[in-house]
Amino acid sequence: MLHTAPSILCVTDRTLCPEHFLSQISRIAAAGPAGVILREKDLCESAYRSLAAQVLSLCRQHQVPCILHTFPSAARALGATALHLPLPLLRAMPKEERAAFSSLGTSCHSIAEALEAQALGATYLLAGHIFDTSCKPGLPGRGLDFLAQVCAAVPLPVYAIGGITAETLPGVRRAGARGACFRSGFMTCPDPASYLHTLERSFSHAISP
């Protein structure tokens, strides 16, 4: 179960860390985000499972939800109860396997995908990308109107992803999102606790226009 409010999620990318990745994860977990999504898509399953075991341990020490990514069998083997899958993998997962995870998320890029994910048993969604981001060069962000439409279309918690900053968090909250995801900021900041506090304060202080 993800923490609720304010809900700032860390999405990992160890290639961005200027220092030791697990040391950074330890600092992030100690700061207490709503969750850590271990998204290391370049790894094969065996390498991912090995890394996930260490990250799960660090997150459990600080009672921070750790959401594994892509590999259901690795998640089950490690006793993980939270999993994030790309929508094609969620479609392919048998219903009885989906039931093994109390937290099951996917990413959506349209209203139709959000509705499909809900029908497939997703318990939360990542909606994006909201703003322009270096992760998606040349592809314009879908914007806050898109985010608001997704939030209105499904009763699930929706987290914005893609180019979010502390300055844009108030708009994200006004659009109806439960929270937002941050990747490079968490991976590179020297003080995750201070960084998280800034994000939480910005999200909490959003005022409706």
Side-chain angles (χ1 to χ4, degrees), residues 93-101:
M93 177 183 270
K95 184 176 181 180
E96 59 273 16
E97 291 187 21
R98 293 181 227 141
F101 298 97

Side-chain angles (χ1 to χ4, degrees), residues 20-27 29-30 51-64 66:
H20 189 258
F21 175 64
L22 290 175
S23 297
Q24 185 71 356
I25 290 295
S26 182
R27 288 189 286 268
L51 180 65
Q54 299 174 82
V55 174
L56 276 166
S57 177
L58 291 170
C59 287
R60 286 167 177 162
Q61 287 175 29
H62 298 283
Q63 298 183 320
V64 168
C66 180

Side-chain angles (χ1 to χ4, degrees), residues 98-168:
R98 293 181 227 141
F101 298 97
S102 58
S103 240
L104 185 61
T106 192
S107 300
C108 64
H109 310 94
S110 69
I111 306 303
E113 288 186 353
L115 293 170
E116 181 185 4
Q118 179 188 3
L120 289 171
T123 62
Y124 73 90
L125 301 177
L126 304 188
H129 58 289
I130 303 305
F131 301 109
D132 294 356
T133 171
S134 59
C135 295
K136 308 285 185 181
L139 294 177
R142 292 178 171 85
L144 291 174
D145 286 345
F146 163 75
L147 178 60
Q149 290 166 10
V150 172
C151 293
V154 295
L156 304 176
V158 176
Y159 298 84
I161 190 168
I164 314 295
T165 65
E167 290 71 28
T168 57

